[in-house]
Amino acid sequence: MNEVCAPQRVNILGVRVSALTMGRATATIERWIRDGEHHYVCITGVHGVMESQRDAELMQIHNAAGLVTPDGVPMVWMSHWLGHPEVERVYGPDLLQEMCRISAQKGYRYFFYGSTPETLGKLTTALTRKHPGLQIAGSLSPPFRPLTPEEDEAEIARINDSGAQVVWVGLSTPKQERWMARHVHRLNASVLVGVGAAFDFAAGEKAQAPRWMQRSGLEWSFRLVTEPRRLAGRYFRNNPAFILRAMRQLAQHHATAWRGGTKTVAR
């Protein structure tokens, strides 16, 4: 399979998640940079999918994205069960590190948008130390309030003047998705990637779950223990609802497949 072909999509509760491996994700981003295209990437797990059930505009934003990566293990499992066994997890923090590794060799220029000035400083130091040669064109921590039109224009000018080809956006879901959708055609950068808490992880400000917990789908429990006040409401609201809706979708999918197979045999 050609790594740079546009990946197929898997409909998971209405969100068209890209059927990806890490290699396909990075190859697609590199192709956009080479060709001067303009796209944004949603890094999507249960939270993004469930917020999209409640917000039709957010669903549309996801489905207009150049890529919607399967960020959580449930996205990978659902992709497999819906007929795409090749799908791998494309986790935001891992995508950031892999693209930094590639970019240190190829010279792609980065801009970081979001978080706090302190975190951005630690992020820049950590990434340039880990990936010598990485070109960071700039960073910007926006205020925690809506921007005025004048402030927004000033931020766009600053990002464009930097010459960045990739803008990494750390504003959390759904704020970062809305920002990318509004700005993708106003920025010169080829790629906008919304990576949520990846800035905090890469900067060393938050601990990541052990790999075995990530692979087994238990990362949410680690994050719940480490950030209970921020995440408890989200997980207890979204996770049971996702399981119920996912089971319903899978039952419908397999019933349809069974009926199709029965008809094929009958013919």
Side-chain angles (χ1 to χ4, degrees), residues 49-147:
V49 168
M50 292 310 297
E51 288 300 316
S52 295
Q53 308 304 299
R54 308 178 185 103
D55 187 330
E57 182 187 34
L58 184 61
M59 177 85 76
Q60 184 178 21
I61 288 170
H62 275 90
N63 290 339
L67 289 175
V68 178
T69 81
D71 180 60
V73 171
M75 299 298 104
V76 176
W77 291 341
M78 283 291 288
S79 298
H80 291 179
W81 294 331
L82 292 170
H84 292 270
E86 76 281 7
V87 170
E88 300 172 354
R89 188 184 190 196
V90 181
Y91 179 44
D94 290 346
L95 179 62
L96 172 61
Q97 294 290 348
E98 181 62 10
M99 281 302 303
C100 284
R101 183 190 69 78
I102 293 169
S103 298
Q105 301 170 1
K106 298 189 178 182
Y108 303 138
R109 293 170 60 83
Y110 285 176
F111 196 100
F112 296 109
Y113 183 85
S115 196
T116 66
E118 295 75 20
T119 298
L120 292 175
K122 293 177 183 178
L123 175 70
T124 298
T125 299
L127 291 177
T128 52
R129 181 183 295 130
K130 185 172 182 178
H131 305 282
L134 181 65
Q135 297 188 38
I136 298 180
S139 63
L140 180 60
S141 174
F144 290 96
R145 57 167 174 78
L147 300 180

Side-chain angles (χ1 to χ4, degrees), residues 196-251:
F199 288 5
D200 297 316
F201 294 142
E205 293 195 333
K206 289 184 180 178
Q208 286 186 263
R211 285 291 178 180
W212 71 265
M213 295 187 80
Q214 294 182 32
R215 289 192 295 267
S216 61
L218 294 173
E219 183 178 11
W220 68 272
S221 61
F222 179 90
R223 294 196 65 192
L224 179 59
V225 169
T226 56
E227 299 182 80
R229 294 182 64 182
R230 187 173 77 87
L231 297 177
R234 175 199 299 184
Y235 288 150
F236 292 137
R237 180 177 68 253
N238 286 337
N239 289 13
F242 175 81
I243 291 170
L244 289 174
R245 294 190 185 207
M247 289 176 64
R248 188 179 304 125
Q249 180 181 357
L250 289 170

